[in-house]
Amino acid sequence: MGRWLRDVWSGIATAFAGMRVTWKHLFTRAVTLQYPDERWTLPKRTRMRLFMKYEDCIGCGQCVRVCPVACIYMNTEKRPATAPPIWAANGMPIKLDVKLFDIDMSLCCYCNLCTYPCPTDCIYMTPEYEFATGDLTQHLYHFAKEDAQFLTVNPKAKPNA
Amino acid sequence: MDVFYALFPAAWPHWLRVVLGAAVPAIILVTFMALGPILYVYAERKISGFMQDRLGPMRVGPYGLLQTIADAIKLLFKEAIYPAGVDRALFLLAPCLVVIGAFLSFVVVPWGPNLIPADLDVGLFYVIAVSSLATVGLIMAGWASNNKYALFGAMRSAAQIVSYEIPAVLSLLAVVMIVGSLSLQQVVEAQRGGLPHWFLFRYFPIMLVVFLVFFIATLAECNRTPFDIPEAESELVAGYHTEYSGFFFAMFFMAEYTEMFIVSAVASVLFLGGWHSPLPPSWTAAIPWDLGPLWLLAKAWGLVFVHMWLRWTLPRLRVDQLMHVAWKVLLPIALGSTIVVGGLVLWPATSNGFPWDPFAAVAVSVAVAAGLVQGFIAARRYEARRLKEGAA
């Protein structure tokens, strides 16, 4: 009988304890973010879509080799000796013409490994995350440009040399 | 209804006044019953959202107000599928029976001194009889569906309602003994005089326990969580309405929510003073018009809120636990309190309640209100702390 009374009492008491918890949560603000209307403020170094600054690429191919899922495609040609010399933004001379630089974002695993070996820091990840498309081929981003404006002066060269 | 009969001009023929006097309140009630679930489903989804720190429906209409209307229209236009091997006649009859069982109880619920569709002398008996009709519909649905999950659900619901009907009826008996009548209107009249005269606080705390038993038993009869084993979605797909789609599914849905409202209305009539206001009569005497329906609605909706509150608080019981609660806990308590109340009613010194009842009524109400306010303040504090930790 005592055990029975204790059980009944604990059943009622715990039900009320639970109701107290839910009553408390009834008046706390929802944590939901209404996505298309509101957006998260992402940290500056969020790793989302890959970007590559074509004007700075020297075509070394290290990013291609390091990529664990092989989502970067690159094709280079030796720059003819007659062509005017060009430089990357950090002063490295560009000796190869990058004819093709494609990144397939539907393969990319966002590991960020490709950005570390890049000698000119021209490939990096951006906080841009809304690039869903209805067509998978739209995820193949072409970075090679015909009309790229390369630096024709070495930016790191001493002014009077 | 005499009120509506008197509303129409005396120049009209008698038969027209009688027909209109019956049709107008019937149409109002049926509309209220049929459209009520739209409101309850919205309230349920919103309350569950808020209790889980979500927003609930937000996209259809302002604050998602049109969400359930859109859902109802969607269900109306969906195809009703008859799976292979169903018993067509029973399959169609079952949801109708469930809805009728839920709707019929409205006939005897008093909304005001003269506002009652039919003041039957056996009102309570009628409510018990009619609300059990829904069970027949559930079993019919489970059997006709030709589906093992539907049959499991139906069998479970039969076992559950047979078990929980007993404590519910026994706790009704306590009220009937105090009033000396089965008419719901007379039950309400016996509670005239504000909060301290409610049967909830009569023979404090005995009737409080009786109310709890009645509330738990009727919660189980509505097949609501934590007693929703007949439609336990994690065990039985959807229980007895597994095979139903479209409008017939909507009818089950409507019946569930209507039944939730009707048991809350009956509980407020029996224990919470029905259409009487909780305020002392001297305060409300100045109000010229009859606020009875509003008071009953407020009380019934308050209990509906408690139903939803419990649903989002407690997990589902196992079948054996369910039977344990019914037969080993609620039944002895209901039996014991029925005997005690019967004795107290017969003893002249206590036939009008214990001397401390009015004080207990005020004290309990103040304590409940204080608890709710305190929970509200605790919620604000909790949120402030969460925001601070989130900012840090």
Side-chain angles (χ1 to χ4, degrees), chain A residues 4 8 15 18-20 22-32 34 37, chain B residues 50-51 53-55 59 309 312-313 328 372 374-376 379-380 382-383 386:
Chain A
W4 182 86
V8 170
M19 284 170 83
R20 203 181 138 66
T22 37
W23 177 260
K24 241 169 76 176
H25 278 273
L26 193 58
F27 297 106
T28 50
R29 198 170 300 145
V31 293
T32 314
Q34 297 255 288
D37 305 330
Chain B
F50 293 153
M51 281 181 177
D53 289 354
R54 295 183 288 114
L55 288 172
R59 308 304 302 184
W309 186 3
W312 299 106
T313 301
K328 290 187 175 172
L372 294 183
Q374 202 264 337
F376 176 73
R380 309 311 302 175
Y382 168 77
E383 189 187 326
R386 196 175 70 185

Side-chain angles (χ1 to χ4, degrees), chain B residues 155-164 229 317-330:
Chain B
M155 285 300 144
R156 283 181 176 197
S157 109
Q160 177 174 334
I161 293 188
V162 164
S163 307
Y164 278 89
I229 58 156
L317 269 66
R318 268 192 336 251
V319 181
D320 61 315
Q321 291 169 334
L322 192 90
M323 290 297 143
H324 183 276
V325 170
W327 292 102
K328 290 187 175 172
V329 178
L330 293 185

Side-chain angles (χ1 to χ4, degrees), chain B residues 231-256:
Chain B
E231 44 187 314
E233 60 268 18
S234 49
E235 303 161 28
L236 297 178
V237 191
Y240 51 85
H241 57 67
T242 303
E243 294 291 358
Y244 282 89
S245 54
F247 185 61
F248 298 117
F249 174 74
M251 280 168 90
F252 277 116
F253 224 67
M254 195 159 78
E256 182 191 330

Side-chain angles (χ1 to χ4, degrees), chain B residues 168-205:
Chain B
V169 173
L170 278 175
S171 44
L172 291 186
L173 211 54
V175 175
V176 171
M177 282 189 298
I178 293 173
V179 184
S181 166
L182 282 166
S183 152
L184 285 174
Q185 189 66 280
Q186 288 192 24
V187 171
V188 176
E189 284 298 342
Q191 302 180 68
R192 181 176 290 280
L195 189 74
H197 294 266
W198 288 5
F199 284 155
L200 183 62
F201 305 113
R202 183 67 69 91
Y203 303 125
F204 186 83

